[in-house]
Amino acid sequence: MLSIVVPENEVFNNETNEFIKVKKQTLHLEHSLVSMSKWESKWHKPFITKKEKTFEETIDYIKCMTITQNVDDNVYYALTPENLQQINDYIEDPMTATTISESPNSRKGRHNILTSEVIYSAMIALNIPVEFQKWHLNRLLTLIKVCESNNTPAKKMSKSEILKRNRELNEARKAKYHTKG
């Protein structure tokens, strides 16, 4: 969870052409599957994409992340550049020490579009409890990758790969022990 303090500020309302005073407020935010699901249900498009989000889409995602009750909508327009940077850093944080190297034969790309339903489906298939939907999204995605990796049977080596590996091992031993074989 991320807590940020939005300072007291004035924002301009384009609809009424007047300034609105916004009081200082602390927001508690969670970047989770729940937040992503709320945002996707409103915007009808995947959250996780390489496409840049509009200012309105970004502000709306921050609203979806907010777990603080009864927040005035104007607070979101009073976010400072520092607040937005904190939020972006939090969203980008892996939240885990686990790293996963992609093998050449990995199933990466089997879902070109990663939506909340695809993630929920993976959770169900891997028997990951639904309570994990409130985890930081990056940590949840890492858990899914780890579970998939652990459930993937080891790839058998082909005959040529076995021969190549044995040849390399023999060459290394000959060099180590200064023998001809």
Side-chain angles (χ1 to χ4, degrees):
M1 180 176 64
L2 173 68
S3 295
I4 60 168
V5 177
V6 181
E8 185 176 305
N9 203 342
E10 279 189 351
V11 294
F12 186 73
N13 184 330
N14 288 327
E15 293 172 7
T16 62
N17 286 330
E18 59 186 19
F19 284 95
I20 299 169
K21 190 161 184 99
V22 178
K23 294 180 182 177
K24 177 180 176 181
Q25 172 137 26
T26 300
L27 297 179
H28 301 289
L29 310 172
E30 280 187 351
H31 173 55
S32 66
L33 184 54
V34 173
S35 305
M36 180 179 155
S37 182
K38 287 179 191 176
W39 187 89
E40 287 180 349
S41 68
K42 178 177 179 183
W43 291 92
H44 305 284
K45 59 185 187 179
F47 177 78
I48 300 175
T49 65
K50 295 187 187 297
K51 295 179 184 175
E52 288 288 319
K53 290 172 186 44
T54 66
F55 180 73
E56 286 301 316
E57 290 171 338
T58 301
I59 293 299
D60 195 52
Y61 186 66
I62 296 168
K63 289 178 185 178
C64 291
M65 290 172 56
T66 304
I67 56 176
T68 306
Q69 299 291 316
N70 304 319
V71 177
D72 177 12
D73 268 359
N74 293 317
V75 168
Y76 298 102
Y77 296 98
L79 289 166
T80 65
E82 293 80 18
N83 292 146
L84 293 171
Q85 186 60 50
Q86 283 179 296
I87 294 167
N88 191 51
D89 291 345
Y90 170 69
I91 289 172
E92 297 296 322
D93 191 332
M95 292 291 178
T96 179
T98 302
T99 56
I100 298 173
S101 61
E102 296 292 338
S103 68
N105 298 328
S106 72
R107 294 184 282 171
K108 187 177 182 180
R110 71 176 170 194
H111 294 294
N112 292 333
I113 300 173
L114 189 60
T115 64
S116 56
E117 289 82 10
V118 172
I119 297 171
Y120 277 115
S121 170
M123 289 174 65
I124 291 167
L126 296 166
N127 294 318
I128 296 173
V130 73
E131 294 83 32
F132 287 39
Q133 71 183 339
K134 293 187 178 184
W135 273 21
H136 188 284
L137 189 58
N138 296 341
R139 188 172 182 211
L140 176 59
L141 292 173
T142 300
L143 175 65
I144 289 170
K145 288 177 186 174
V146 168
C147 290
E148 285 177 339
S149 175
N150 289 344
N151 289 335
T152 303
K155 181 186 166 245
K156 291 186 178 181
M157 293 175 74
S158 69
K159 192 154 196 116
S160 63
E161 289 173 324
I162 293 170
L163 292 173
K164 180 182 176 192
R165 186 196 63 189
N166 288 346
R167 208 172 17 258
E168 289 169 355
L169 288 172
N170 285 337
E171 291 300 321
R173 288 185 193 119
K174 286 194 294 188
K176 181 179 178 181
Y177 296 113
H178 307 291
T179 64
K180 294 182 182 181

